[in-house]
Amino acid sequence: MWKENPELFLENSGTASLRSYLSSQSLGVTIFWAVEGAGKTFALSRVSAEFNRINHHFIYIDCAGFKHDSSSDDIKQILYRKLGMDPRDDLGRFSSYLPSDVFTTIVFDHFSVVSSAGFVSSLARDSARSSFNVLILLSNPVHALALLRGGW
């Protein structure tokens, strides 16, 4: 219904916050936590459509199918394959594989992969010196707090 009638979409604090975040092109990792079913993914899809037109690219990874004990290599492989790369060819900082003329947001949606915190930390460090950021959407408050505290 929403896709057929976009005028029915209501602006809310979540979409306003996402729009502000994407406009600022803040570096590092940002956690967007809300209860399951609150509309995080939908809000991101609506807001990101505005930014795709202005030289802002998105790499979207849905972690819903990942098991709790999946390794960070699993997420890394998917991320690199989205760029058309073989993760075994990784030669350095992730940012060196991204285009330098656009800002990129890497989105991990439905994030709950415990053992991937190390990979997310390495992306955060790399992001601080480049033109991309990471947005993590999750609904588990325990995982959100663990990420904010720096580990699982």
Side-chain angles (χ1 to χ4, degrees):
M1 183 170 119
W2 295 111
K3 290 180 183 179
E4 295 170 8
N5 302 300
E7 69 279 359
L8 296 178
F9 177 73
L10 299 176
E11 185 74 22
N12 60 41
S13 60
T15 55
S17 295
L18 280 171
R19 189 173 287 107
S20 174
Y21 165 72
L22 294 172
S23 295
S24 72
Q25 295 186 347
S26 300
L27 301 176
V29 175
T30 299
I31 296 170
F32 181 23
W33 173 85
V35 297
E36 187 173 341
K40 298 176 292 295
T41 303
F42 181 72
L44 176 67
S45 71
R46 292 289 301 176
V47 173
S48 65
E50 301 167 18
F51 288 86
N52 269 330
R53 292 177 279 230
I54 56 170
N55 252 4
H56 191 132
H57 289 206
F58 294 85
I59 300 171
Y60 178 83
I61 298 172
D62 189 349
C63 301
F66 283 88
K67 293 183 171 53
H68 194 64
D69 59 351
S70 295
S71 73
S72 63
D73 284 341
D74 295 336
I75 295 237
K76 184 177 181 179
Q77 286 177 15
I78 289 175
L79 180 56
Y80 278 59
R81 285 191 184 120
K82 289 237 179 204
L83 295 173
M85 295 174 50
D86 185 336
R88 294 173 293 183
D89 296 334
D90 184 8
L91 301 174
R93 292 182 19 215
F94 178 75
S95 58
S96 63
Y97 305 112
L98 296 173
S100 58
D101 59 336
V102 297
F103 193 85
T104 301
T105 296
I106 301 167
V107 179
F108 294 106
D109 196 359
H110 305 108
F111 191 83
S112 65
V113 184
V114 173
S115 59
S116 295
F119 180 57
V120 171
S121 293
S122 72
L123 287 175
R125 287 188 298 277
D126 189 10
S127 168
R129 302 182 302 255
S130 51
S131 60
F132 79 94
N133 61 18
V134 178
L135 176 63
I136 297 176
L137 283 67
L138 68 161
S139 55
N140 185 320
V142 173
H143 293 164
L145 285 172
L147 277 172
L148 289 169
R149 290 182 178 141
W152 300 90

